[in-house]
Amino acid sequence: MSTPVRYDQQYCPIARALDVLGDRWTLLIIRELGIGDQRFTELRRHLPGIAPTVLTQRLRELADEGLVTMHDDPSTRRQLYALTDRGREAGPVLRALARWGMPLLEPRPDDRTVRPRAALNVAILSYYDAAAAAGIDERYRLEIDGETFTLSSVKGGGKARATADVELVAGAGTWIDIRQGRLTLQQARKDGLVQVTGPARSVANFRRVFRIP
């Protein structure tokens, strides 16, 4: 295994951040743990191609840097890996990379699936616009390939509500296609790929808050 490159000779916060986050697989591990706490076997399944020894090493390095911690799952008594508060602070880096990399993403092969939570993160949440959301207090319920998520226009979630202002049902691949410009939300609705329930004003707010074309 090759020795990771370090940037000790450069007095620069970007260089120091790359010392921690720049190794292969590291940001993808943080991406996975940002979705939720996971066991080692789950991380391997969600990171096809990573060697067990590499995953073990990266998790150890992230733990040493204070970005990842471990705890027992009380229901299974197995060890789970989780992000610390410091680890979650890398979220804006991942969201910026998602936006930057979205135009580079090739059309999805037929044998590739997109997990609902992954599609939510890279195609919708990564584009949240706090300035556009100012003065809007709404909830949006999304059903993506059978999994349901509730989003808020208020940063941090705001107060919980029993009902949503808008409900949208679509597949994960459809959201990726919309974000890449192969579809607009209007066209997807016309083609029956997205079902939308809610007043037009709230739908327009949802599009503005998350910059949906």
Side-chain angles (χ1 to χ4, degrees):
M1 187 179 298
S2 61
T3 302
V5 174
R6 290 293 179 257
Y7 303 99
D8 298 337
Q9 302 303 313
Q10 300 186 48
Y11 186 69
C12 170
I14 296 174
R16 182 65 186 101
L18 286 173
D19 282 343
V20 177
L21 301 176
D23 287 336
R24 190 180 183 198
W25 296 107
T26 296
L27 281 173
L28 296 181
I29 293 169
I30 293 175
R31 178 201 69 188
E32 286 304 314
L33 295 179
I35 292 173
D37 299 357
Q38 298 187 41
R39 299 193 301 271
F40 187 90
T41 54
E42 292 173 319
L43 285 169
R44 282 198 65 197
R45 184 169 69 253
H46 295 149
L47 295 167
I50 191 171
T53 52
V54 173
L55 179 56
T56 298
Q57 180 181 348
R58 295 293 183 268
L59 288 168
R60 184 182 302 119
E61 292 167 348
L62 288 168
D64 290 344
E65 292 288 348
L67 305 185
V68 167
T69 187
M70 292 156 281
H71 64 91
D72 291 331
D73 182 349
S75 62
T76 64
R77 304 181 70 84
R78 293 185 178 182
Q79 196 171 63
L80 291 174
Y81 293 88
L83 291 180
T84 63
D85 289 344
R86 176 62 171 161
R88 282 188 286 273
E89 288 178 1
V93 177
L94 291 174
R95 290 190 288 273
L97 282 172
R99 294 192 300 271
W100 193 85
M102 185 62 75
L104 306 177
L105 196 64
E106 67 278 359
R108 181 169 56 92
D110 292 338
D111 62 344
R112 293 285 182 91
T113 59
V114 181
R115 284 176 288 151
R117 171 68 74 172
L120 179 78
N121 284 340
V122 301
I124 301 174
L125 294 179
S126 291
Y127 293 82
Y128 175 81
D129 188 333
I136 301 173
D137 186 359
E138 293 183 337
R139 304 296 178 271
Y140 313 109
R141 184 169 293 120
L142 280 70
E143 182 181 319
I144 304 176
D145 290 333
E147 293 190 28
T148 302
F149 310 93
T150 300
L151 311 184
S152 174
S153 61
V154 180
K155 191 173 183 179
K159 294 182 179 179
R161 290 184 186 173
T163 60
D165 298 276
V166 174
E167 296 187 3
L168 303 99
V169 180
T174 297
W175 286 114
I176 298 294
D177 287 341
I178 289 173
R179 183 55 69 188
Q180 287 198 297
R182 289 191 286 270
L183 280 173
T184 64
L185 182 60
Q186 181 178 0
Q187 184 63 50
R189 294 179 69 178
K190 181 179 178 181
D191 293 346
L193 298 172
V194 179
Q195 289 78 50
V196 180
T197 304
R201 179 178 180 181
S202 294
V203 175
N205 286 341
F206 168 76
R207 293 182 61 190
R208 182 161 59 251
V209 169
F210 294 100
R211 293 158 54 187
I212 304 292

